[in-house]
Every structure is written in C-alpha cells, then in structure tokens.
Amino acid sequence: MPLNRRTFLGRSAAAGAGVAIAGGAAVPAQALEHGAGHGHGHGRPPKRYSFTVMGTTDLHGNVFNWDYFTDKEFDDKARNDVGLAKISTLVNRVREEKGRGNTLLIDAGDTIQGTQLSYYYAKIDPITAKHGPVHPMAQAMNAIGYDAAALGNHEFNYGIPVLRKFEEQCRFPLLGANALDAKTLRPAFPPYVIKRLRTPHGRDVRVAVLGLTNPGIAIWDKVNVQGKMTFPGLEEQAAKWVPKLRSMGADVVIVSAHSGSSGTSSYGDQLPHIENAAGLVAEQVPGIDAILVGHAHSEIAEYRVTNKETGKDVVLSEPLKWGQRLTLFDFDLVWERGRWSVEKVGAQVLNSNTVDEDPKITGLLVDEHRKVVSYVNQVIGTSTAAMTTVDAPWRDEPLIDLINHVQTETVRAGLAGGEWAALPLLSQASCFSRTAGIPAGEVTIKDAAGLYPFENTLEARLLTGAQIKDYLEYSARYYVRTAAGAPVDTSKLTNADNIPDYNYDVVSGLTYDIDIAQPTGSRIVNLSFEGKSLDPAARFVLAVNNYRASGGGNFPHVAGAQQLWANPDEIRNTIITWVQAEKTVDPARFASVDWKLTRDGTPVF
C-alpha cells in the first residue's frame, strides 16, 4: 500500500519507526540460488538470495523518445534515446529475467520539470485544477510500477501545490528525509520506505530505501519554499536515519540521493550545505550498501567509496539523465547468524537506445502527447530572417540578443515610474542550447520556447560598473586560453574546466572584448558604456534570471545585490508573449555586435 501522507505526518515522522514501512511482501518468485542447502550445519552450503534494484534519475518530464522543442524524435551525437517508454521495456526485461518479486524500481528525482509535456500539465492544463488531469509522469511511473522516488530540486519549480498534487497522484512514495517542515522541523515527506522481498527460505529480506534531496532548493526555489520548508545537509540526515532503519530490521539500506557524487558545490558560499554530497554520505555514514545518485546529469555505471568507519565499500551508480540509462544494482545475500547480510553488490547501466518503446506506456499517454505537440506548434508570429545559436558560444548572435532585448524591455516596463527607472539597464543571457533556432517565416511556440528551456524567472538587481566587470571576467573563464597566432578550433575553444554553456553569460547594453590569450581574470578589455570607458562607480540595473540571482554558477556580486524588481512568470513565457504581441521578429530591431573574442587586439573571428 502507498504511504498515506496525512497518516504519516499525523503520527510524527521524526519519531516514527514502523510508520513508513510501506509496500508489503513482494510477489513470491524463484530466487537466484547459489546453493541448495538450508543452513550451515552438517556441511550444508549457506542459504543465499539475490535480488536487483533498478534505478532512474533526472527524468525531467521525458515519457516519449521525443524532443518537443524540435518536434521530432530525440537524437544526439551519441545516438541516445530518452523517455520512460524506453525504460519500461528495459524494466520488463529485467523483471522477466530475475523474477518480478526479486526486483525493485526506484528513482532519484527531478521528475516533473524539463519538457513541454511536463510544463503543459503544470501551467497550461494544470493538474491542480478542479477535476484536473493526472500528470503524465505519475501515469507512466504508476504503470511501470515504481516502488519509490526521491525528491529532486526541480520538483519544487512549480510550487508546493503542484508537487503535493503530483505526490497524491503517485502510487508510490516521494521520499525526502532532509525536506523538513520549517515550523516543526519534522519531515514534510516520507523519509524512507521499507520493502519486503520474499525468499524461498522463510525469512523475508527487508530493503530500506532512504530518500535525500538537494539542500540547494532553499536557494533556487526560495520563493516557493521560504518559511515553509528547510533542507539540511544530506550527511547529517543520513547519519540520523540509517541507524534507525537498521534498528528497525533493515537487512539492506539503499539511499536514493538527488545529489552528485563529487563532494563539490557550484554555488560557492551561497549554499549552506554540500550540493553534490552522495560520495561524502557513502564515506561518512556507516550502514549504507548502495546509493542511487542523481542531479549531476553524469553517467557513472559503478563507483565504489570506502566507508571510513566500517572499511566496507559502498556502491554508487548514476544513470544518465532523461531515461537514457537504467541502473541495475545486483545484490547477493547470505544467511548468517540468524539474519541476511550483504555478501556482494555490483552495479551496471543499461542503454535505453537498445530497445523499443513499450506500447503500453506510449498508448497510455498518446492523447496527452498529441495535445502538447499541437500546443507547441501554434504559430505566434513571423520572423524576417532565420537565426540560430550554432555559433553563439563564441560569437555575438542575434538570437541571444533577442533574449536580452525582451528581458530589457520587460524590466524597463517593470521599473517605469519608480526610483530606479532612470538608471541604465543591462541584461545577461546564456546560450542554453546550441541547436535552438527561429526560421524565416512562421514562428511557433516551440521555436520561441527552445531559446529558453529552463523555468527561470526574471529579476532586476543593482550593480556597480566595477561589479559588472568582475561578473564579465568570471564569465570569460569559459574560454580555453589560446595564444595569439595559435590555431583556433571552436570544438576545443569553450567549456574550459568543464564550465557548461549555461554558465557563460553575455551582457547587453555594453561593448567589450574578451582577450582569450590572457589568463582568467584579465580578459575583459575595451569595456565601454555609451562610447566611454565604464565608470567603476556608476550604478546599473542588471536584468538577470532567478537562477543566477540566487547564486547559480557562483557569479560574483549578483546574489548579494539589492533586488529592485521580480517577475513570477517564466522568461520563456515572456519571450512567447513578446513575439505574440510584436507579431514580427526583425533582427534589425535588436541585433548588434557588442562583444567579440580577440587576441592581443586582433579579432579571433
């Protein structure tokens, strides 16, 4: 039976031992036997039992192998496929091979945000409406038969009411041991679930799944959670709950953690706790057998961390995002001294591009899929020219100018008539996708939305000229240092130190050069405002997305800067609305070359 949240909270999760034991005995099935005996005595081999835990993470609203921003089958250079329909086929195969009763299926979070499918059922035809629809991700995950899912940070993007409705629609618990009610400091969601697997030996195996989410939620979704929920560190909460699970009779403890394994944070001092703490949890908290890792969008088939206290290995695995991979944790148990103990754990990942979509899942959601395809193909305007982001990581391209133009106009209107209206206005934007584009002729919702695939909202912050220069210097770390006269290969020019494209900002309203022959921190030259060198003391309004304003990417100054204005609507919607209002997208109105790459004063391109 799924855990009833009201019952759970009413009986106090913080104190609650057996309260969160959910999911009764699994369907009896043949165990994978390594011995035929029934005990240690008289030379008989020990009792053994094997089972498999399957895991996904960072599904981000992907059910179909479909890209709603291009309106065609998903494809990338590595020929990956995406979506729960593909995962379902893999899951069915594993269950058939192992016996369904010898398997569990869990997820590590970031489920209900990321595609136009998930956006549509949060905003356009919201699940929170009276007699509203069931979320496609809930429908698909219920049909596949998930046993539990950890909360991801993006679960909170649409606000707590949407998340609670999604939780209500799921026939499995959403786990978050470190998502606490701000007033009572008790878990706001079930911390764990315990599943029983029936063995042929008379003694069930109790498998505990502890869910941990990302403490960055407190910053990234501050507007949705402030005063309602608080998010302490993963290590702290794991150290609290793992001993409890063991004392309750858990034979195996698995952590589903929406947190990367690297032990780092990409937000500097903005985050009170480590963002990517899964490896630290494994190292510092005794009693964990395996961790399903999420959040980092990396592929880690198997990664072993030695626990400092016990000296035992903890096996970590992170399947690739969007349903591109399925992790398998294979557990071998042995009956010793009156209980089951873990003898061996291994992990691997299966590639979803090796199978077809499960027609049960695609058939279940074909109507929802068609609705969203129809929605994204609505024509909202026309463009006088084709524009693309293919070269945007190293050139000032009109499409990025369009984002900045819309943001500038929106903030200007928001500040009109107020005390900040007279200050000069700048805007930041990133190349979120190198495949975004607007064609000449008809412009659809999917074209405009493809410029901004994230649910970021818009703010205005107050910065000085000196702070803006620091901001640009920090952004320019993105380029690999390339000596004057050396050949330039654009495939190797960007993403220095693994900085992602979305953490490279250009700023409109200024002109500047980036000298990539210089070391980081000394690259911004000829920085000017209205034809004059930038005054370090001058004050500027910066139109900035809420991710950056809340510390995302750890850019200097902006997170601590005074907020002058904020808009609750997504920037993506603001762009769509702008195109609808203008009817014509004409680059002549907004495109200009304000920045360029140079080496010793000579342009690179």
Side-chain angles (χ1 to χ4, degrees):
M1 294 290 292
L3 184 65
N4 182 299
R5 189 176 69 82
R6 288 178 184 164
T7 302
F8 177 85
L9 293 178
R11 294 174 63 179
S12 172
V19 179
I21 296 181
V27 178
Q30 300 243 333
L32 300 177
E33 284 290 340
H34 299 290
H38 298 283
H40 288 278
H42 310 293
R44 294 174 183 167
K47 301 171 187 175
R48 297 183 187 277
Y49 176 71
S50 297
F51 70 96
T52 296
V53 176
M54 298 173 280
T56 54
T57 190
D58 296 279
L59 292 168
H60 283 289
N62 285 281
V63 174
F64 296 83
N65 185 38
W66 196 259
D67 185 341
Y68 293 96
F69 292 123
T70 61
D71 196 24
K72 59 186 180 183
E73 185 175 313
F74 177 88
D75 198 17
D76 65 11
K77 290 179 182 177
R79 316 305 296 176
N80 288 305
D81 288 343
V82 300
L84 277 170
K86 291 261 182 174
I87 290 295
S88 183
T89 303
L90 290 175
V91 167
N92 290 338
R93 288 189 178 184
V94 174
R95 285 172 173 163
E96 185 176 352
E97 178 189 344
K98 309 282 186 180
R100 177 158 186 156
N102 304 314
T103 65
L104 295 172
L105 175 60
I106 63 176
D107 183 80
D110 275 6
T111 303
I112 59 171
Q113 175 277 337
T115 63
Q116 287 290 283
L117 180 71
S118 52
Y119 178 81
Y120 187 88
Y121 288 98
K123 292 286 192 176
I124 307 303
D125 185 11
I127 60 173
T128 48
K130 190 176 182 180
H131 308 303
V134 177
H135 199 289
M137 294 302 286
Q139 291 192 58
M141 294 174 83
N142 288 340
I144 295 168
Y146 273 78
D147 293 288
L151 293 164
N153 53 286
H154 284 288
E155 259 65 83
F156 294 84
N157 285 175
Y158 298 118
I160 292 173
V162 169
L163 174 53
R164 287 299 190 196
K165 189 65 178 180
F166 175 70
E167 179 188 30
E168 181 186 311
Q169 293 176 343
C170 291
R171 296 201 293 265
F172 53 89
L174 301 183
L175 307 178
N178 61 327
L180 308 183
D181 181 276
K183 293 183 175 66
T184 66
L185 297 184
R186 292 175 177 171
F189 295 85
Y192 61 88
V193 65
I194 295 181
K195 308 292 287 188
R196 292 175 181 264
L197 300 180
R198 193 164 292 164
T199 77
H201 305 299
R203 167 70 150 81
D204 293 347
V205 173
R206 296 183 183 93
V207 182
V209 181
L210 178 68
L212 296 169
T213 191
N214 205 289
I217 295 165
I219 291 172
W220 308 324
D221 270 299
K222 182 178 179 179
V223 68
N224 291 326
V225 300
Q226 188 172 34
K228 299 173 184 175
M229 293 185 193
T230 184
F231 302 87
L234 285 85
E235 311 100 298
E236 167 194 330
Q237 293 300 302
K240 171 183 175 180
W241 286 102
V242 171
K244 288 186 179 184
L245 296 172
R246 289 293 184 182
S247 71
M248 290 162 56
D251 301 299
V252 179
V253 173
I254 300 165
V255 173
S256 183
H258 193 74
S259 180
S261 62
S262 64
T264 61
S265 287
S266 55
Y267 306 97
D269 295 337
Q270 292 296 314
L271 266 188
H273 305 285
I274 297 296
E275 177 188 357
N276 296 307
L280 296 175
V281 171
E283 181 182 80
Q284 296 174 13
V285 180
I288 298 169
D289 296 298
I291 301 179
L292 178 66
V293 178
H295 183 61
H297 289 202
S298 300
E299 181 178 347
I300 304 172
E302 182 184 88
Y303 174 48
R304 292 178 178 268
V305 175
T306 302
N307 183 267
K308 283 186 174 180
E309 185 171 321
T310 66
K312 293 181 179 179
D313 277 359
V314 181
V315 176
L316 286 71
S317 181
E318 181 176 6
L320 198 58
K321 64 187 186 296
W322 306 346
Q324 294 179 40
R325 304 288 186 275
L326 176 71
T327 278
L328 304 187
F329 290 105
D330 292 310
F331 291 85
D332 293 336
L333 275 58
V334 63
W335 182 263
E336 292 180 326
R337 294 181 289 278
R339 63 167 296 156
W340 290 108
S341 62
V342 175
E343 189 173 51
K344 190 174 76 172
V345 186
Q348 60 177 307
V349 293
L350 304 182
N351 194 326
S352 66
N353 73 4
T354 62
V355 297
D356 294 329
E357 293 182 311
D358 183 350
K360 174 185 172 184
I361 304 303
T362 56
L364 179 69
L365 293 165
V366 65
D367 288 343
E368 287 84 346
H369 174 67
R370 286 172 178 164
K371 275 186 187 176
V372 175
V373 169
S374 176
Y375 163 74
V376 301
N377 280 290
Q378 290 179 41
V379 175
I380 55 174
T382 59
S383 177
T384 62
M387 293 175 279
T388 177
T389 56
V390 170
D391 294 337
W394 51 85
R395 291 182 194 268
D396 188 344
E397 289 287 346
L399 267 186
I400 307 302
D401 292 339
L402 174 59
I403 297 172
N404 275 325
H405 179 72
V406 172
Q407 291 182 167
T408 299
E409 284 200 348
T410 304
V411 170
R412 182 172 287 119
L415 296 177
E419 63 176 306
W420 311 107
L423 286 182
L425 185 53
L426 312 177
S427 178
Q428 63 79 221
S430 304
C431 176
F432 295 114
S433 167
R434 298 191 185 196
T435 58
I438 285 181
E442 292 184 340
V443 178
T444 63
I445 284 177
K446 77 171 186 288
D447 297 326
L451 300 183
Y452 222 106
F454 298 104
E455 269 74 41
N456 295 343
T457 58
L458 188 59
E459 298 188 14
R461 297 279 176 130
L462 183 65
L463 277 81
T464 66
Q467 290 174 327
I468 291 292
K469 184 177 188 299
D470 289 346
Y471 189 101
L472 290 170
E473 287 285 10
Y474 183 84
S475 183
R477 301 175 310 132
Y478 171 75
Y479 294 105
V480 174
R481 189 176 184 182
T482 309
V488 175
D489 180 352
T490 55
S491 69
K492 299 175 182 177
L493 179 62
T494 62
N495 308 102
D497 297 323
N498 295 314
I499 296 169
D501 291 347
Y502 62 75
N503 274 345
Y504 170 63
D505 286 1
V506 300
V507 174
S508 70
L510 304 165
T511 57
Y512 58 96
D513 297 340
I514 303 172
D515 190 334
I516 59 173
Q518 300 304 314
T520 57
S522 304
R523 291 180 168 179
I524 302 300
V525 293
N526 301 325
L527 179 57
S528 302
F529 173 70
E530 294 184 343
K532 299 177 182 177
S533 292
L534 187 70
D535 179 357
R539 296 195 303 171
F540 294 89
V541 177
L542 179 67
V544 59
N545 68 52
N546 68 306
Y547 173 79
R548 190 70 79 232
S550 64
N554 201 27
F555 275 63
H557 308 304
V558 66
Q562 182 180 350
Q563 185 192 76
L564 309 180
W565 174 87
N567 184 7
D569 202 17
E570 290 94 350
I571 294 169
R572 176 167 62 204
N573 274 353
T574 304
I575 295 170
I576 291 168
T577 302
W578 184 90
V579 175
Q580 288 173 319
E582 295 293 324
K583 296 185 174 56
T584 302
V585 180
D586 183 359
R589 285 189 54 201
F590 53 79
S592 61
V593 178
D594 298 323
W595 65 273
K596 62 182 181 293
L597 302 185
T598 63
R599 290 183 294 183
D600 294 346
T602 302
V604 175
F605 302 107

